[in-house]
Amino acid sequence: MSGPRETSTPSASIAIPSRVGIADAVSPPPLSESQQQFNTLVERIGEERAQLGTWNAAIAAYQQRYARELQPLIRDYHAIHVELVQWLDTEATGRMGLSKSMQQTVGEVIASMSAYLAEGVLDEDTRAAMQALHARYGPQDAPAPAAPAPTAPEGPSVDGPEDDSPEAILERVEAQMRADRARVEAERQRHRAQRARKPTARERREQEAAQQAGQSVRSVYRQLASALHPDREPDPAQRDRKTALMQRVNRAYADENLTELLQLQLEVQQIDPDHLARLGEERLAHYNQALAAELAGLQREVRAIQDDFKARFGLTAPGQLSPQSLDKHLRVQAQQLHEDIADWRMQRRALEHPAELKRWLKAQSAAWRDR
């Protein structure tokens, strides 16, 4: 079905109907600045989405290798420390001929190491044993080591029931979007209250442009929802097809993904290949505003994935991470763990000698205090 069309003079046409973009005309006039900006934004959005997909695939592969190769090493590393703490508790405190001050140092080291292990080990019985040791040797007013935080449940789906009207689906999707934006908006309001001044003319223009961009995206969504709602399709096969398409529409609108909405309009022939080239400058400016926001959101998402990944897996190496560098980081981590485990095993045997134990306790006490 064909949708509303712009009446401005065409200056270019879309080369390939299956891809959003504005192609150069065969003859003058060339693309306008706004049309060039549209194409640049669409291209950068495609690159950023590809980068996001590459990151997700690389992280999934890394997680599998982490569970298979690194977790057994981490368990061995923790097991050595657990055995050492328990040996300090049962042997070093009473059978190594330590002075009263050195026995106090032993207690400090046990308290520090047991707190670290109580938060790091995966086995619940071992964690409980380390918490008990920390309670015995740690300061009486110190908080107990925290258990690992539970994983947050996933949010509700934005796909509405099949028997709702397009208006009801739109309202539900927008409610989800409002919830997602609540924290950001609260932070904005806090800053506005602190500044306690009227927005500048430039800020007002930016706000109005953002509103117009949002209305343009909403308009595309309404056209698609009106055409694709499955309840209006009597044919079962076509109803299934429209249901799948409507789910894509809902996801795209919830993600403020104008490129996907325009792509869907092309796929269902709601607009023809020349539609974007005929857009007036004002409408094109609104689309560019929405595309710029979409690009910025994707860039934030990529950065958030990287930051979360580094935090979850303890990657503190300097420099930028890339999906292609994750294998190298995993190999470096595995090699470091192998070396650390070998060093600790050697150190554990050396601690059987009182002189080495005293030297080690002094060094460990200072090290744990600096953490």
Side-chain angles (χ1 to χ4, degrees):
M1 121 177 226
S2 298
R5 296 185 179 181
E6 301 293 329
T7 58
S8 61
T9 303
S11 62
S13 62
I14 300 174
I16 303 174
S18 61
R19 181 179 179 183
V20 173
I22 303 173
D24 282 308
V26 176
S27 59
L31 295 182
S32 69
E33 183 177 345
S34 296
Q35 289 174 325
Q36 293 178 34
Q37 183 184 15
F38 180 94
N39 280 347
T40 299
L41 286 167
V42 168
E43 182 178 358
R44 291 185 62 191
I45 285 170
E47 292 170 353
E48 207 66 30
R49 289 197 181 280
Q51 178 79 343
L52 188 61
T54 302
W55 263 109
N56 285 328
I59 289 174
Y62 181 95
Q63 288 173 327
Q64 292 178 357
R65 288 193 60 191
Y66 183 92
R68 185 174 64 250
E69 300 174 26
L70 282 189
Q71 278 194 341
L73 293 173
I74 292 172
R75 290 191 184 96
D76 289 347
Y77 182 82
H78 284 156
I80 293 172
H81 286 72
V82 167
E83 192 274 334
L84 174 58
V85 170
Q86 292 173 335
W87 177 81
L88 290 172
D89 174 49
T90 58
E91 299 290 333
T93 53
R95 302 185 186 180
M96 299 293 291
L98 300 177
S99 66
K100 186 174 181 180
S101 63
M102 288 304 297
Q103 289 188 18
Q104 182 178 351
T105 301
V106 171
E108 294 172 357
V109 172
I110 292 174
S112 299
M113 293 184 68
S114 61
Y116 157 75
L117 291 165
E119 294 182 359
V121 296
L122 300 177
D123 179 69
E124 292 185 5
D125 291 339
T126 304
R127 187 185 308 133
M130 294 300 101
Q131 289 171 338
L133 278 177
H134 182 267
R136 282 172 51 199
Y137 287 96
Q140 295 302 310
D141 56 349
T151 303
E154 293 184 359
S157 171
V158 297
D159 293 334
E162 295 181 5
D163 60 349
D164 284 345
S165 67
E167 291 75 15
I169 296 174
L170 175 62
E171 179 59 32
R172 189 161 50 252
V173 171
E174 291 183 334
Q176 179 66 32
M177 293 168 62
R178 287 193 296 270
D180 293 339
R181 295 172 183 161
R183 183 171 57 186
V184 175
E185 184 59 30
E187 186 66 16
R188 287 178 183 167
Q189 291 178 0
R190 185 178 70 82
H191 283 298
R192 289 171 187 160
Q194 288 177 346
R195 289 157 62 184
R197 64 169 177 80
K198 294 181 179 179
T200 65
R202 178 179 177 179
E203 289 172 338
R204 287 196 299 272
R205 287 194 300 270
E206 290 176 351
Q207 291 170 5
E208 291 170 1
Q211 290 174 354
Q212 291 292 334
Q215 289 175 7
S216 295
V217 176
R218 180 188 178 101
S219 175
V220 175
Y221 173 84
R222 281 188 175 280
Q223 293 172 34
L224 285 165
S226 177
L228 295 176
H229 195 272
D231 280 356
R232 299 177 182 178
E233 177 56 61
D235 181 75
Q238 286 297 315
R239 190 184 307 122
D240 291 342
R241 172 179 170 271
K242 288 187 174 181
T243 297
L245 287 169
M246 195 64 212
Q247 289 172 348
R248 286 176 60 190
V249 170
N250 287 337
R251 285 194 296 268
Y253 185 61
D255 293 339
E256 300 179 79
N257 186 345
L258 176 60
T259 52
E260 175 69 0
L261 292 174
L262 293 174
Q263 178 68 45
L264 282 158
Q265 282 194 307
L266 285 170
E267 287 182 21
V268 302
Q269 299 181 341
Q270 195 172 57
I271 59 176
D272 60 35
D274 294 328
H275 173 82
L276 294 174
R278 292 195 301 270
L279 288 175
E281 286 294 307
E282 183 178 5
R283 174 62 63 86
L284 197 56
H286 297 160
Y287 277 14
N288 287 344
Q289 178 84 7
L291 291 173
E294 182 180 339
L295 176 61
L298 283 169
Q299 291 169 336
R300 288 193 298 270
E301 189 173 354
V302 170
R303 287 194 299 270
I305 282 179
Q306 294 176 15
D307 293 342
D308 175 70
F309 174 75
K310 289 192 288 187
R312 281 192 295 133
F313 292 97
L315 294 178
T316 57
Q320 289 290 330
L321 275 178
S322 69
Q324 295 75 22
S325 70
L326 297 191
D327 279 349
K328 177 182 177 181
H329 281 284
L330 191 140
R331 290 195 302 271
V332 169
Q333 285 180 299
Q335 181 63 31
Q336 187 63 58
L337 279 168
H338 277 296
E339 293 174 1
D340 288 346
I341 289 169
D343 289 345
W344 275 102
R345 283 174 175 160
M346 186 181 300
Q347 182 67 69
R348 170 65 186 85
R349 290 192 295 269
L351 294 182
E352 297 288 344
H353 303 282
E356 177 61 20
L357 175 62
K358 292 175 184 178
R359 185 201 63 77
W360 180 84
L361 285 171
K362 291 178 182 178
Q364 287 297 307
S365 180
W368 284 102
R369 280 197 302 269
D370 292 339
R371 288 200 175 193

